[in-house]
């Protein structure tokens, strides 16, 4: 039986839980989002993050910087947010325009405010199996799998893609849940047969409908992270949904699957960061 996963419903539930916890704090969690330039997709993502933050009663700030901002100016903006006591979470929307290296900027975010989990400190903590703030999309995928009650222990999992933003942290999280994880990428030989081994496929390559029916083993669980815009304006995932879904035990749609859960996890990370900071503030030195 194919069980589709409605990411919107899940995100709604998680957001309600986050809100219920947030109101118990002595001050609301604060999230700052830095947007450099006018990339339309980035503008949409940033706007949605702000809307959800406000709905949850968070303090929310959006900082719009011009597209021709210098690296130094962006870093100074981040540093002022590091020092802002009302802000618990800082997110710099990537990619940056003009070929600016996003890593050079995100590395300046205080690890305790790094709600995207991209600083060396947070990546290192995750790699050592002691995650604190984990990148939102892989964290959301793990939560989807938990909500589906997938028994990850011993499971053969293939993660397609090895980006710092998604593939790498996803592989680490699955391994920490005792799955046997293969990470495949553009240099992988005979990708279809690697994917065919998998009881769980997590696809994040950014290639429209690359994963076809004959790549997938009967009864596999398919999580599609890809977001690809076709010429005709349609949005599709990395998996050929109509072909693959009859074979799958469970499959997430695009849009409406993984996407909505990412923002919910950003809110949860902000809540975690805020709770930890407020606990620290309350403790005498
Ligand atoms: P990147 O472009 O950073 O990484 C893509 C990865 O896929 C790379 O590791 C690359 O391999 C691999 N790859 C590319 N083409 C192929 C191919 N033909 N065969 C095998 N492997 C391939 O992308 P991201 O990880 O940032 O994002 C991936 C997708 O997920 C995108 O569509 C993005 O829009 C989406 N996404 C969705 C999110 C959400 O739902 N909220 C959040 C983040 C991303 P190599 O390393 O060898 O180059």
């Amino acid at each position: 039986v194919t069980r589709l996963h409605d990411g919107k419903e899940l995100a709604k539930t998680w957001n309600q839980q986050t809100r219920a916890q947030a109101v118990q704090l002595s001050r609301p969690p604060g999230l700052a989002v830095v947007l450099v330039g006018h990339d339309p997709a980035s503008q949409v993502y940033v706007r949605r993050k702000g809307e959800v933050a406000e709905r949850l009663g968070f303090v929310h700030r959006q900082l719009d910087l011009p597209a021709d901002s210098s690296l130094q100016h962006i870093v100074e903006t981040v540093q002022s947010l590091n020092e802002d006591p009302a802000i618990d979470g800082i997110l710099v929307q990537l990619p940056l325009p003009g070929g600016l290296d996003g890593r050079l900027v995100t590395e300046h975010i205080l690890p305790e405010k790094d709600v995207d989990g991209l600083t060396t400190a947070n990546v290192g903590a995750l790699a050592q199996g002691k995650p604190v703030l984990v990148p939102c999309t892989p964290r959301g995928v793990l939560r989807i799998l938990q909500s589906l009650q997938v028994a990850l222990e011993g499971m053969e999992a293939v993660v397609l893609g090895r980006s710092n933003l998604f593939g790498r942290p996803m592989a680490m999280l699955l391994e920490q849940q005792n799955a046997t994880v293969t990470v495949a990428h553009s240099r992988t030989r005979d990708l279809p047969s690697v994917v065919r081994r998998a009881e769980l496929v997590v696809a994040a390559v950014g290639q429209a409908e690359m994963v076809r029916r004959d790549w997938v083993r009967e009864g596999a669980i398919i999580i599609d992270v890809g977001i690809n815009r076709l010429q005709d304006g349609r949005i599709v995932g990395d998996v050929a949904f109509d072909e693959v879904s009859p074979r799958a035990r469970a499959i997430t749609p695009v849009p409406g699957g993984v996407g909505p859960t990412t923002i919910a996890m950003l809110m949860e990370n902000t809540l975690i960061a805020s709770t930890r900071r407020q606990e620290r503030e309350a403790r005498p030195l």
Side-chain angles (χ1 to χ4, degrees):
V1 181
T2 307
R3 283 185 297 170
L4 303 183
H5 238 269
D6 185 346
K8 271 193 201 138
E9 276 304 308
L10 278 179
K12 216 165 120 188
T13 309
W14 298 344
N15 281 336
Q16 281 162 357
Q17 290 163 355
T18 299
R19 192 192 157 94
Q21 282 178 266
V23 295
Q24 315 238 333
L25 295 172
S26 44
R27 63 168 172 81
L31 174 67
V33 181
V34 179
L35 174 62
V36 187
H38 306 100
D39 177 66
S42 292
Q43 281 177 323
V44 172
Y45 293 140
V46 166
R47 179 158 29 89
R48 279 200 206 133
K49 288 166 187 173
E51 283 163 4
V52 178
E54 266 160 37
R55 211 177 328 125
L56 298 190
F58 287 14
V59 168
H60 168 254
R61 258 181 243 155
Q62 182 177 328
L63 294 93
D64 294 298
L65 304 184
D68 60 359
S69 298
S70 66
L71 202 57
Q72 191 187 340
H73 181 51
I74 306 170
V75 168
E76 281 166 6
T77 305
V78 165
Q79 283 165 341
S80 72
L81 294 167
N82 283 341
E83 281 158 27
D84 187 332
I87 295 301
D88 302 294
I90 304 170
L91 179 148
V92 178
Q93 186 67 36
L94 301 177
L96 296 177
L100 290 178
D101 184 354
R103 268 208 66 73
L104 293 178
V105 175
T106 49
E107 201 57 29
H108 283 87
I109 299 172
L110 268 185
E112 69 216 53
K113 295 191 178 188
D114 168 30
V115 283
D116 249 349
L118 296 176
T119 55
T120 301
N122 281 323
V123 175
L126 172 60
Q128 290 176 337
K130 305 229 177 323
V132 186
L133 294 170
V134 177
C136 303
T137 308
R139 189 176 152 84
V141 169
L142 188 63
R143 292 281 293 272
I144 291 174
L145 292 168
Q146 286 165 344
S147 80
L148 286 167
Q149 293 180 305
V150 174
L152 289 168
E153 181 150 334
M155 184 176 261
E156 192 84 50
V158 170
V159 177
L160 280 167
R162 54 174 167 180
S163 67
N164 289 321
L165 208 64
F166 184 79
R168 287 198 174 112
M170 186 76 252
M172 287 194 260
L173 287 173
L174 291 172
E175 176 261 319
Q176 284 164 19
Q177 298 297 314
N178 299 312
T180 303
V181 184
T182 303
V183 179
H185 44 76
S186 69
R187 313 292 175 91
T188 298
R189 210 184 314 128
D190 194 4
L191 205 50
S193 67
V194 171
V195 175
R196 227 173 279 129
R197 289 208 297 262
E199 300 168 88
L200 167 66
V201 182
V202 184
V205 286
Q207 303 284 334
E209 302 182 321
M210 186 181 83
V211 177
R212 316 300 308 196
R213 182 176 194 280
D214 63 334
W215 291 35
V216 172
R217 134 176 178 182
E218 191 74 44
I221 294 162
I222 315 285
I223 307 288
D224 192 352
V225 181
I227 303 174
N228 309 287
R229 185 178 287 274
L230 300 180
Q231 298 261 332
D232 63 9
R234 269 191 315 135
I235 304 278
V236 298
D238 291 342
V239 177
F241 186 89
D242 293 342
E243 283 182 21
V244 169
S245 53
R247 284 211 149 176
R249 176 146 71 93
I251 183 167
T252 60
V254 177
V258 172
T261 68
T262 298
I263 295 182
M265 290 295 97
L266 173 64
M267 300 305 142
E268 202 180 275
N269 271 349
T270 306
L271 172 72
I272 292 168
S274 184
T275 305
R276 291 171 72 98
R277 286 188 66 235
Q278 294 191 42
E279 279 169 2
R280 212 162 337 130
E281 284 158 15
R283 259 200 316 265
L285 290 175

